[in-house]
């Protein structure tokens, strides 16, 4: 056994060194140069520091192991048992629920509260074991430098475990706050042919606007079994939208809503008395028009404040997208008096052009991504709607787990300013379970625009037939689509540029397109 080993286990009386007695007032063994003093000067710092470093390191790797070796064995056994229990429980949960099931659980406020409390308790217990390991290393018997080193190491280890634990608690708290703010308690609504149909209403106040106008009106129809998603886009300038027979809006507008479709949301918001009990009268009014025109029930809505996408995209580090043509930042005209027949508005004074977004593959920050979506002074409304869909789809496609994790708190803060919805907890659970399949498959898009429909005088039944065909075609598309329609960019000068389709459309299929093909994210 070495001298260092003797410092671990043997009492002072058993050490092989000259037996010299020490009086209370000091004695020969305290005199510098005596064998005992020389041995203490040589061995205590080296062996004590090694002991302290080892005990602290053991506690970091296996909490409780230092106590089993040199401290309270009861404490050590309890710590190891808790560690084993947690490992077994985590394995059982993973085996029973799988990744998707765990994600679903992580979206329940009660589970998130339990996770927060558990992380705090485990972090404090681990820190206490590190402090005890430092105590067991007997740093007081060392010199000043070794004592400072061991104390600094112990504090560093506590910070090393405290930082990720604290961050995890903050993430759980942010997640719980987001869920309780946006999501309503309750089960999922009755499915329609195995599908959830969710109204996507995107808009912002914009320049010289009073209230919200939904420039992006679409329905996301998602097959909850396969994850295949169809986006049905309604033109913002569609007029005479119908409402379900017997509804208050149908009674008020028997010949259809005379203004553009985007004005329905604003009208509903300004007349909440027509929708008693509705939390968002504007969304309720728009949902009812969508359901009647498309011939499918709308179970939920999600409103998106496009102006707030600036901070959301910045939190993701930007949006990579291929810009098809030069797009002005600014331009267009201010809104003039809305006194035209049928409820239209006159154009006001022109807005200045502040710059341009150049063609080519670019990584756009939030400001430029917003203008990519909303620029329309050199292109048509239909092109603007298409670009807005590209931005929405691109955000979903480019949300990789690492980016979301590292920017989660800022994403949550942005989301609360961008999104409003009536999704229930049950609906959220269903959507999360299908999210991976939806992300892997290409989202298909049906654009209800000329020449498919006449926005000024839309016929309801032909539109419903198109939607029915699009749903059937979306169900028939394999996970890796075999049919993708051309990308169409239509400037106001009438010229068209096309991207050649990947393959030929199946006979009789409605012209649905793949947003990945149209938008080109690489």
């Amino acid at each position: 056994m070495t001298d260092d080993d003797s410092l671990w286990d043997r009492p002072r009386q058993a050490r092989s060194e000259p037996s010299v007695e020490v009086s209370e007032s000091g004695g020969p063994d305290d005199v510098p140069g005596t064998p005992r003093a020389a041995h203490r000067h040589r061995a205590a710092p080296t062996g004590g520091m090694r002991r302290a470093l080892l005990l602290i390191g053991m506690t970091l790797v296996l909490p409780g192991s230092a106590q089993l070796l040199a401290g309270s064995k009861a404490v050590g056994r309890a710590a190891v048992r808790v560690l084993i229990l947690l490992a077994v429980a985590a394995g059982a949960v993973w085996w029973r629920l799988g990744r998707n099931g765990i994600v679903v659980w992580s979206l329940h406020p009660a589970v998130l509260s339990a996770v927060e409390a558990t992380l705090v308790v485990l972090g404090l217990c681990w820190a206490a074991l590190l402090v005890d390991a430092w105590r067991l290393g007997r740093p007081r018997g060392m010199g000043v430098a070794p004592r400072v080193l061991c104390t600094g190491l112990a504090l560093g280890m506590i910070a090393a475990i405290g930082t990720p634990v604290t961050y995890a608690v903050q993430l759980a708290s942010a997640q719980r706050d987001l869920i309780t703010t946006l999501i309503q308690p309750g089960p999922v609504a009755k499915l329609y042919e195995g599908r959830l149909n969710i109204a996507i209403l995107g808009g912002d106040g914009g320049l010289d606007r009073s209230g919200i106008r939904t420039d992006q009106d679409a329905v996301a129809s998602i097959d909850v079994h396969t994850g295949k998603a169809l986006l049905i886009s309604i033109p913002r300038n569609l007029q005479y939208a119908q409402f379900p027979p017997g509804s208050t809006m149908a009674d008020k507008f028997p010949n259809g809503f005379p203004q553009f479709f985007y004005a329905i949301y604003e009208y509903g918001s300004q007349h909440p008395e027509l929708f008693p009990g509705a939390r968002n009268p504007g969304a309720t009014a728009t949902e009812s028009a969508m359901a009647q025109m498309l011939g499918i029930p709308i179970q939920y809505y999600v409103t998106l404040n496009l102006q707030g996408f600036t901070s959301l995209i910045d939190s993701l580090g930007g949006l990579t997208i291929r810009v098809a043509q030069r797009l002005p930042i600014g331009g267009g005209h201010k809104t003039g008096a809305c006194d035209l027949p049928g409820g239209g508005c006159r154009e006001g004074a022109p807005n200045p052009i502040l710059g341009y977004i150049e063609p080519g593959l670019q990584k756009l920050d939030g400001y430029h991504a917003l203008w990519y979506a909303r620029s329309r002074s050199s292109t048509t409304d239909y092109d603007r709607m298409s670009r807005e869909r590209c931005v929405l789809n691109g955000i979903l496609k480019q949300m990789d787990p690492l980016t979301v994790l590292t920017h989660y708190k800022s994403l949550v803060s942005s989301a609360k300013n961008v999104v409003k919805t009536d999704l229930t907890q049950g609906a959220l659970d269903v959507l999360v379970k299908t999210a991976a399949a939806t992300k892997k498959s290409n989202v298909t898009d049906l654009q209800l625009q000329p020449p498919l429909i006449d926005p000024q005088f839309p016929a309801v039944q032909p539109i419903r037939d198109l939607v029915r065909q699009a749903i059937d075609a979306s169900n028939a598309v394999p996970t890796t689509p075999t049919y993708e329609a051309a990308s169409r960019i239509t400037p106001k000068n009438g010229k068209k540029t096309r991207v050649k389709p990947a393959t030929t459309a199946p006979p009789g299929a409605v012209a649905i397109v793949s947003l990945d093909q149209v938008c080109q994210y690489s």
Side-chain angles (χ1 to χ4, degrees):
M1 184 175 292
T2 64
D3 287 344
D4 289 343
D5 290 333
S6 68
L7 290 171
W8 282 72
D9 301 312
R10 290 190 293 169
R12 293 179 181 271
Q13 293 82 351
R15 294 179 184 172
S16 56
E17 55 189 62
S19 178
V20 182
E21 300 221 358
V22 184
S23 64
E24 293 183 4
S25 59
D29 56 338
D30 291 321
V31 178
T34 62
R36 182 176 179 86
H39 183 78
R40 293 174 71 179
H41 178 73
R42 180 179 68 255
T46 304
M49 184 173 68
R50 183 179 301 173
R51 172 189 178 90
L53 294 177
L54 183 59
L55 291 176
I56 293 172
M58 290 171 62
T59 304
L60 181 67
V61 176
L62 182 62
S65 57
Q67 285 71 26
L68 285 174
L69 181 65
S72 171
K73 288 184 171 44
V75 173
R77 283 193 293 267
V80 173
R81 286 170 182 167
V82 169
L83 192 64
I84 294 174
L85 180 62
L86 288 173
V88 172
V93 169
W94 181 270
W95 175 80
R96 180 68 180 84
L97 299 178
R99 184 181 65 85
N100 278 355
I102 292 174
V103 173
V104 169
W105 267 34
S106 71
L107 297 175
H108 286 259
V111 174
L112 291 169
S113 296
V115 168
E116 289 179 58
T118 301
L119 288 173
V120 170
V121 171
L122 290 177
L124 291 175
C125 290
W126 202 350
L129 290 173
L130 279 170
V131 172
D132 190 51
W134 170 84
R135 179 188 65 81
L136 293 173
R138 299 184 181 93
R140 293 182 181 178
M142 308 176 194
V144 174
R147 188 185 310 155
V148 170
L149 176 62
C150 292
T151 302
L153 178 64
L155 293 175
M157 295 297 183
I158 292 173
I161 64 173
T163 300
V165 168
T166 301
Y167 186 66
V169 171
Q170 291 175 344
L171 290 183
S173 177
Q175 176 99 324
R176 177 169 51 81
D177 183 44
L178 178 66
I179 297 300
T180 54
T181 300
L182 295 182
I183 305 302
Q184 311 302 315
V188 63
K190 183 180 179 181
L191 300 179
Y192 169 73
E193 298 181 356
R195 307 180 77 90
L196 274 179
N197 300 320
I198 304 171
I200 309 294
L201 311 176
D204 62 79
L207 298 174
D208 298 316
R209 288 186 176 183
S210 58
I212 296 294
R213 297 178 183 176
T214 54
D215 289 332
Q216 179 66 248
D217 297 288
V219 174
S221 182
I222 304 167
D223 188 315
V224 301
H225 302 295
T226 64
K228 294 177 181 178
L230 169 68
L231 195 65
I232 306 167
S233 302
I234 301 174
R236 65 192 294 275
N237 61 346
L238 184 142
Q239 290 180 279
Y240 301 105
Q242 303 292 315
F243 298 93
S247 66
T248 54
M249 290 292 281
D251 293 341
K252 194 169 186 63
F253 301 102
N255 297 320
F257 191 73
Q259 300 181 43
F260 289 158
F261 195 89
Y262 67 70
I264 296 177
Y265 186 96
E266 185 177 7
Y267 183 89
S269 300
Q270 294 176 349
H271 298 83
E273 70 280 358
L274 299 177
F275 310 94
R279 298 185 60 190
N280 189 333
T284 301
T286 308
E287 281 182 301
S288 64
M290 286 178 164
Q292 181 65 16
M293 296 299 294
L294 304 181
I296 57 176
I298 310 297
Q299 294 104 331
Y300 301 102
Y301 74 84
V302 175
T303 63
L304 305 171
N305 180 359
L306 296 181
Q307 190 70 40
F309 268 68
T310 301
S311 58
L312 183 64
I313 293 173
D314 285 338
S315 297
L316 289 172
L319 178 67
T320 300
I321 197 166
R322 188 174 296 279
V323 181
Q325 64 184 99
R326 197 181 197 213
L327 296 170
I329 298 173
H333 292 77
K334 298 179 181 179
T335 302
C338 296
D339 55 1
L340 296 179
C345 297
R346 302 177 188 275
E347 285 189 344
N351 292 313
I353 293 179
L354 307 176
Y356 291 90
I357 300 173
E358 302 297 338
L361 186 65
Q362 296 197 41
K363 189 166 188 177
L364 304 176
D365 59 16
Y367 172 80
H368 290 90
L370 178 63
W371 273 109
Y372 168 82
R374 69 188 298 184
S375 178
R376 64 178 178 181
S377 65
S378 63
T379 56
T380 67
D381 273 345
Y382 300 111
D383 294 325
R384 181 190 187 193
M385 291 161 54
S386 179
R387 292 195 305 271
E388 287 173 345
R389 291 191 294 274
C390 286
V391 170
L392 295 177
N393 189 57
I395 291 173
L396 295 177
K397 288 287 183 182
Q398 297 177 36
M399 273 190 172
D400 63 275
L402 181 60
T403 301
V404 172
L405 182 64
T406 53
H407 298 87
Y408 193 76
K409 288 192 290 183
S410 59
L411 285 172
V412 166
S413 177
S414 299
K416 287 192 291 186
N417 296 324
V418 170
V419 179
K420 290 184 179 179
T421 182
D422 64 346
L423 281 170
T424 62
Q425 187 69 58
L428 183 63
D429 292 349
V430 170
L431 291 174
V432 168
K433 290 176 182 178
T434 63
T438 300
K439 189 171 183 178
K440 290 179 182 178
S441 63
N442 285 344
V443 177
T444 52
D445 183 21
L446 170 64
Q447 301 183 30
L448 296 174
Q449 62 186 50
L452 288 179
I453 69 168
D454 180 0
Q456 289 185 323
F457 303 100
V460 174
Q461 191 56 49
I463 290 176
R464 291 185 171 190
D465 292 340
L466 288 170
V467 171
R468 180 70 266 171
Q469 294 175 44
I471 291 176
D472 293 340
S474 176
N475 288 333
V477 172
T479 303
T480 303
T482 56
Y483 166 50
E484 294 173 339
S487 170
R488 301 174 180 86
I489 302 297
T490 312
K492 287 187 174 178
N493 59 17
K495 296 181 180 179
K496 295 184 178 181
T497 60
R498 293 177 179 268
V499 177
K500 187 178 180 180
T503 58
T504 305
V510 70
I512 61 173
V513 300
S514 164
L515 285 180
D516 283 358
Q517 177 76 4
V518 171
C519 302
Q520 300 185 49
Y521 299 107
S522 61

